[in-house]
Amino acid sequence: MKRFLDFVAPWLLSLALLLCLVLGFGMQHFKTKAQIVAIALKQLQDSVATQNHAAEAELERLTAERNAAQARLDQQYQQQEKTDAQAVQEIARLTGELEQRPVRVRIVSQPAACGAGRGGTAGHTAAADDAGAADAAEAYGLLPESNSRRLGAVIAEAETINAAYASCRATLINNNP
């Protein structure tokens, strides 16, 4: 066995030396790779930091633009609210005036639109197509109270709708390019 160990010992020693050399080269290779990766990581971190600074600056600029636009919208909203409140007050004032006075109407006579009927006697002549046209005088009168109230309510509704339309129309015309 001693002989065997004397014969194998130089080979084992050579093999151990060879393994140490391979391990040393391997370690150097991995160390170089790690340094390359560390440099790439540092470059990537610097790039991300630069992008973060650019993104923060862009965010601040866009936030300032949004805040300015919101302030303009808030100002327009407040102005529109004042305008709408004035319109509502004017409509209420006019409605109050209408409620306090009677509504005068003009009655225009219209010729009868009906033709000859079948129920007449054989010798009776049919009325002329312009029957009543000779009495074309216009008459004036007062609208009954219930009709006056309903007319006032309809006028108030119409004025409110008209004011709302005018308000929205001005906003839309100003905002469309």
Side-chain angles (χ1 to χ4, degrees), residues 134-170:
D135 187 21
E138 296 178 353
Y140 290 90
L142 292 179
L143 202 59
E145 179 63 30
S146 62
N147 291 358
S148 292
R149 279 195 310 271
R150 180 64 189 135
L151 180 61
V154 168
I155 290 172
E157 289 174 16
E159 288 297 327
T160 302
I161 290 172
N162 187 34
Y165 170 76
S167 174
C168 292
R169 183 174 184 270

Side-chain angles (χ1 to χ4, degrees), residues 73 76 168-177:
L73 284 175
Q76 287 176 349
C168 292
R169 183 174 184 270
T171 302
L172 288 175
I173 287 175
N174 290 337
N175 289 335
N176 284 337

Side-chain angles (χ1 to χ4, degrees), residues 6-121:
D6 286 338
F7 178 72
V8 175
W11 288 104
L12 284 176
L13 188 57
S14 297
L15 184 63
L17 183 61
L18 183 64
L19 284 175
C20 283
L21 285 174
V22 169
L23 185 62
F25 286 127
M27 291 292 281
Q28 184 65 29
H29 173 73
F30 286 120
K31 180 181 175 187
T32 305
K33 284 273 200 184
Q35 288 173 344
I36 292 171
V37 169
I39 291 170
L41 179 62
K42 178 67 175 157
Q43 290 173 347
L44 185 61
Q45 287 173 340
D46 291 343
S47 173
V48 168
T50 302
Q51 289 177 352
N52 282 344
H53 290 300
E56 287 175 2
E58 182 70 10
L59 179 63
E60 287 177 15
R61 184 185 66 80
L62 291 174
T63 301
E65 286 180 13
R66 184 208 36 120
N67 290 344
Q70 185 65 46
R72 284 191 308 272
L73 284 175
D74 289 344
Q75 184 180 15
Q76 287 176 349
Y77 173 77
Q78 294 298 326
Q79 183 61 35
Q80 191 62 46
E81 285 293 317
K82 289 177 185 176
T83 303
D84 290 347
Q86 290 172 349
V88 167
Q89 287 176 349
E90 182 65 14
I91 291 169
R93 184 187 66 79
L94 292 173
T95 302
E97 286 180 11
L98 283 177
E99 288 176 352
Q100 295 174 2
R101 61 181 171 172
V103 178
R104 298 186 64 79
V105 293
R106 180 175 54 144
I107 303 169
V108 178
S109 62
Q110 294 284 330
C114 58
R118 295 186 191 182
T121 59

Side-chain angles (χ1 to χ4, degrees), residues 116-117 119-127:
T121 59
H124 187 281
T125 60

